[in-house]
Amino acid sequence: MVSVRKLHKITKQSFEQWLSNLTLSDVKANALSDLWLQVSQFYQHESSVNSLTDEKLALLHKSMEMVEILSALNLDADSLVAAFMSPLLNNNIIDIEFVKEHFTQDIVTLCQGVEQMAAIKALRQQNNQSTDQAPQNIDNIRRMLLAMVDDVRAVVIKLAERLCDLREKKNSDEETRVLVAKESANIYAPLSNRLGIGQLKWELEDISFRYLHPQVYQKIAKLLDETRLEREQYMASFVSCLGGELDALAIKSEVYGRPKHIYSIWKKMQQKSLDFEQLFDVRAVRVVVEKVQDCYSALGVVHTKWPHIAREFSDYVATPKGNGYQSIHTVVIGPEGKSVEVQIRTKQMDDDAELGVAAHWRYKEGNASSKSNSFDDKVGWLRKILQWQDDVAESGELLDELRSQVFEDRIYVFTPGGDVIDLPMGSTPLDFAYYIHSNVGHCCIGAKVFEKIVPFTHRLQTGDQVTILTSKQPNPSRDWLNPNLNYIYSTRARAKVQHFFKLLDRDKYIAEGKELLDSEIAKHELASMNLLAAAKRFNMKTVDDLYAGIGTGNVRLQQVVNYFTQLDNKLKPPVEIDPQSLVKQSATNKVLTQEDNGITVSGVGNLLTHMAKCCQPVPGDSISGFITQGRGISVHREDCEQLANSLNLQPERFVEVQWGNDHKQSYQASIQIIGSDRQGLLRDISTIISNERVSIVGMESHTNNAKQTMSMNIKLEVESSALLTRILEKLRQLDDMTQVKRL
């Protein structure tokens, strides 16, 4: 292969010489020759190709370098042509209209796919951008994924382009090298690995590692150089010996030493906390045989000849890796007690390991069926690309928010026109209809999946082709909102249905809301109201919106009443409190110092007291009192927010209270439990509570089936805060508990 790294002027003769040195097939060579005739006009000035500027010349060399990389991966002629034009398109030397005019639709699609792949940069830039820009980036990434599904060759071209960029940054400033290296290591190298393209993966990783950790890279490289001569002599002897053993058993094979990549050496040193001298696979041999059964025959020869290290044995032939990689790995103790890693695979496995998805074009050159447009092929590639996010996530560079919005729990379905729509996993045809447009959802009367009628409760799967049947007039059903009927899964579609019925019944809700509010205002004898101010307080534009919100339940009636009550209290003059009005009437004249519920009020006896429902104090809690109007003294926990707000407005109503010495009655307290939903959880909780001889007064629970979580509020009757604390501690020790707290 010819290196084009050094800039030199290109003529038709030198271009043809370069092509011949690549040893391409006639189909590929002719396609590139025709391409040169088309694009060379953009490099001519006064009919002289030799007058190119350095910038244009650099782009031309980059195009040729990309072709060199991809020709080694055996990509087809269309891919090589698209790769050559990609840098020219990106830098406006040519435009997409030129491509459409002179080349086939397949090449146009490839060029557009490579251009869309530029959205991948948003994965890196997301960490440095404002939240206002995030939704657009997420949308770009989705389009990038769909471009991958449409034709995976565009991904391979983009990887070759990234490798060229990485090589070019060798002499750039450190900041530029580090930024490009991080992007390559965190995104492009995992993508190469997912597609199984070992040739690109190793070089992307090694160059990125060199830019990010130059000192460590140089140290390992020096260690390899110091032992290179000795290692090469040792490996030549080992290869010769193993090859002879295989020949003696008539096992056709190719045995050769395998170069070790510096990044993989460093990664293994980090993962296993080993020094360079302790690594098993610095010396590595690869055995390539013809048939799968020959792999195991060769393995028998290796293990018979040399003892092996059991924990270092891996059979990826029987159990391939997630990216399709197949090979047998074993480490043996060779001559002089030195460890040697041996990889055994067939020729097809070796091609797949080095070329990955590119291997599938090796025998399809010139075949019109080389690019399948079937749904099965698209869905297969989609699933493989979506798995790539697992590899990227290991880098720790991406935001969890980005992962949750883009990659997790999504399905991808097709419209009749072939467009891809992403929906939450569990979506139904109605979710799909409302995603297309609100009116499509409102008018939906049926759905087909692959031209077969399905019910509205049908769960869509990735790859389904969905057709929505509609009527002329909108006619959604209220049953669609019933969660138990499973007509709608996504919150987006549910909100659109709810909005439809809210508008439909708006007049009724306004009347109901007005009636409810007027009734409550009359009951509380509120003096004055500013309805417009209340509407704005609850984010409504008009008073009718406020009434409608109350009627639909979106605005809580009690909150509105409390708002008016606070305004009314501010307008009233302070009320003098007569302590005698708080004295509890008794059949005898005997004065008590302690109330029946165990509360003692400092300085005053026989007063009405009650436990505040907002914080529900129990014996053992630090408490304070607040003098109410007509209901005696309200007893709160000292950390109660409502008490603090009340005292802030009327500090003169504070009174000291204490627990009595002899309190035997029970008090109500509420606790909240949040955790993972599992079978038997309620039984475990109730067992702990009953073992403490505590009664459950009430219980309310909610579950989230999608996230497999639950939340539970339990009201208990306890005698002291110490008992309540003990129950909370025991509940926290249960499995799958996220939070246990007192309300």
Side-chain angles (χ1 to χ4, degrees), residues 619-672:
D621 291 336
S622 298
I623 55 177
S624 296
F626 183 80
I627 301 173
T628 65
Q629 297 184 40
R631 294 184 294 119
I633 296 175
S634 176
V635 181
H636 297 259
R637 295 205 319 252
E638 286 189 346
D639 58 354
C640 176
E641 292 184 4
Q642 186 166 327
L643 173 65
N645 292 334
S646 299
L647 291 177
N648 187 44
L649 295 174
Q650 297 171 310
E652 71 277 0
R653 293 175 178 260
F654 170 78
V655 63
E656 292 185 4
V657 294
Q658 298 88 27
W659 294 106
N661 296 325
D662 184 20
H663 48 81
K664 297 181 179 179
Q665 67 183 84
S666 297
Y667 298 83
Q668 291 187 3
S670 296
I671 63 174
Q672 184 183 64

Side-chain angles (χ1 to χ4, degrees), residues 286-446:
R286 180 168 296 160
V287 180
V288 180
V289 296
E290 291 186 341
K291 298 174 292 185
V292 174
Q293 52 265 42
D294 290 342
C295 291
Y296 294 97
S297 299
L299 178 65
V301 171
V302 173
H303 282 184
T304 301
K305 182 67 176 177
W306 298 284
H308 72 285
I309 301 174
R311 67 177 183 275
E312 297 295 329
F313 175 78
S314 299
D315 186 356
Y316 297 119
V317 172
T319 309
K321 290 186 177 182
N323 62 357
Y325 176 85
Q326 287 185 290
S327 184
I328 295 175
H329 292 191
T330 186
V331 176
V332 298
I333 305 300
E336 304 176 22
K338 296 180 178 179
S339 61
V340 180
E341 183 194 55
V342 181
Q343 294 182 355
I344 307 171
R345 60 180 68 160
T346 65
K347 178 60 177 170
Q348 182 62 52
M349 294 175 190
D350 193 52
D351 283 346
D352 288 342
E354 294 300 317
L355 307 180
V357 297
H360 296 284
W361 282 278
R362 184 170 187 175
Y363 304 107
K364 295 181 180 179
E365 183 181 307
N367 189 343
S369 64
S370 62
K371 178 189 173 188
S372 173
N373 290 321
S374 69
F375 281 113
D376 290 341
D377 287 348
K378 286 189 175 185
V379 172
W381 280 119
L382 177 59
R383 287 172 179 161
K384 197 163 192 175
I385 294 301
L386 291 181
Q387 289 175 357
W388 163 53
Q389 61 96 5
D390 295 329
D391 295 339
V392 177
E394 293 175 1
S395 70
E397 295 291 327
L398 303 184
L399 296 179
D400 291 339
E401 179 69 16
L402 185 66
R403 291 186 57 205
S404 66
Q405 293 192 57
V406 179
F407 297 112
E408 294 182 350
D409 299 328
R410 309 297 293 182
I411 60 170
Y412 293 78
V413 296
F414 294 89
T415 66
D419 294 329
V420 185
I421 305 297
D422 67 314
L423 297 168
M425 187 176 294
S427 293
T428 65
L430 283 173
D431 293 304
F432 175 86
Y434 276 105
Y435 185 94
I436 299 300
H437 197 277
S438 298
N439 287 336
V440 176
H442 294 334
C443 298
C444 179
I445 58 174

Side-chain angles (χ1 to χ4, degrees), residues 23-185:
T23 62
L24 300 173
S25 66
D26 291 341
V27 173
K28 296 177 183 177
N30 292 337
L32 290 171
S33 294
D34 293 341
L35 168 65
W36 175 254
L37 293 177
Q38 296 291 342
V39 302
S40 61
Q41 58 180 301
F42 296 99
Y43 287 89
Q44 294 178 3
H45 179 68
E46 296 179 357
S47 302
S48 174
V49 176
N50 294 334
S51 62
L52 295 178
T53 64
D54 288 343
E55 183 179 356
K56 280 191 173 184
L57 190 58
L59 290 174
L60 184 59
H61 281 290
K62 181 177 180 180
S63 295
M64 297 170 68
E65 187 173 3
M66 288 176 62
V67 170
E68 288 185 356
I69 293 171
L70 296 176
S71 65
L73 298 178
N74 297 306
L75 256 69
D76 61 346
D78 285 353
S79 301
L80 299 183
V81 171
F84 193 98
M85 288 191 292
S86 179
L88 312 184
L89 279 167
N90 291 342
N91 291 273
N92 300 318
I93 303 298
I94 60 175
D95 57 28
I96 195 65
E97 296 302 323
F98 171 82
V99 181
K100 290 179 179 178
E101 181 181 352
H102 295 90
F103 299 95
T104 65
Q105 183 58 44
D106 276 358
I107 294 177
V108 173
T109 302
L110 279 172
C111 290
Q112 291 174 332
V114 176
E115 184 178 5
Q116 282 184 295
M117 283 283 292
I120 203 169
K121 290 185 178 180
L123 287 168
R124 172 173 63 84
Q125 296 170 347
Q126 178 75 16
N127 291 315
N128 300 322
Q129 290 180 339
S130 67
T131 54
D132 293 337
Q133 295 169 302
Q136 181 61 41
N137 289 337
I138 292 169
D139 185 58
N140 289 339
I141 295 165
R142 287 199 180 102
R143 291 202 301 271
M144 172 202 70
L145 293 176
L146 301 183
M148 294 179 181
V149 177
D150 190 60
D151 196 330
V152 76
R153 292 176 297 176
V155 188
V156 183
I157 295 172
K158 187 66 180 180
L159 292 173
E161 181 184 78
R162 169 49 43 154
L163 180 55
C164 290
D165 291 340
L166 205 57
R167 291 172 177 174
E168 289 175 1
K169 297 300 184 290
K170 180 179 180 180
N171 298 320
S172 300
D173 59 273
E174 183 179 359
E175 182 180 0
T176 301
R177 290 199 308 270
V178 168
L179 287 175
V180 175
K182 281 186 176 180
E183 186 179 58
S184 300

Side-chain angles (χ1 to χ4, degrees), residues 523-738:
K523 184 192 302 182
H524 289 80
E525 299 180 351
L526 298 175
S528 61
M529 300 176 300
N530 186 335
L531 290 174
L532 185 57
K536 293 180 179 179
R537 165 65 179 78
F538 292 98
N539 298 319
M540 302 293 178
K541 292 183 179 179
T542 66
V543 175
D544 282 348
D545 290 340
L546 177 63
Y547 287 145
I550 296 173
T552 59
N554 288 340
V555 177
R556 293 179 60 184
L557 175 61
Q558 195 57 45
Q559 289 181 335
V560 180
V561 173
N562 289 341
Y563 172 74
F564 286 133
T565 301
Q566 291 175 5
L567 294 180
D568 201 54
N569 289 337
K570 290 181 180 179
L571 298 176
K572 291 181 179 179
V575 179
E576 295 291 335
I577 303 298
D578 181 6
Q580 293 301 317
S581 67
L582 302 176
V583 176
K584 181 179 179 182
Q585 298 298 321
S586 175
T588 67
N589 293 327
K590 182 179 179 181
V591 178
L592 301 178
T593 59
Q594 181 174 317
E595 179 51 51
D596 292 342
N597 57 16
I599 298 296
T600 299
V601 182
S602 298
V604 184
N606 198 26
L607 296 182
L608 292 171
T609 60
H610 66 274
M611 298 299 166
K613 294 182 179 180
C614 54
C615 56
Q616 297 179 320
V618 297
D621 291 336
S622 298
I623 55 177
S624 296
F626 183 80
I627 301 173
T628 65
Q629 297 184 40
R631 294 184 294 119
I633 296 175
S634 176
V635 181
H636 297 259
R637 295 205 319 252
E638 286 189 346
D639 58 354
C640 176
E641 292 184 4
Q642 186 166 327
L643 173 65
N645 292 334
S646 299
L647 291 177
N648 187 44
L649 295 174
Q650 297 171 310
E652 71 277 0
R653 293 175 178 260
F654 170 78
V655 63
E656 292 185 4
V657 294
Q658 298 88 27
W659 294 106
N661 296 325
D662 184 20
H663 48 81
K664 297 181 179 179
Q665 67 183 84
S666 297
Y667 298 83
Q668 291 187 3
S670 296
I671 63 174
Q672 184 183 64
I673 300 172
I674 300 175
S676 300
D677 189 21
R678 61 173 173 84
Q679 188 174 4
L681 179 60
L682 181 58
R683 178 200 61 212
D684 294 344
I685 293 172
S686 59
T687 299
I688 290 175
I689 295 174
S690 63
N691 287 343
E692 295 293 336
R693 301 185 182 278
V694 171
S695 299
I696 297 178
V697 178
M699 179 182 296
E700 181 182 357
S701 65
H702 302 277
T703 60
N704 187 325
N705 293 329
K707 296 183 179 180
Q708 292 293 304
T709 59
M710 69 85 200
S711 63
M712 188 180 301
N713 292 344
I714 304 176
K715 186 176 291 185
L716 307 174
E717 278 194 352
V718 296
E719 296 179 356
S720 67
S721 63
L723 176 58
L724 183 59
T725 300
R726 185 163 67 247
I727 292 174
L728 293 176
E729 286 301 322
K730 290 185 177 181
L731 290 174
R732 291 188 183 106
Q733 294 175 11
L734 289 176
D735 294 337
D736 303 321
M737 288 294 102
T738 303

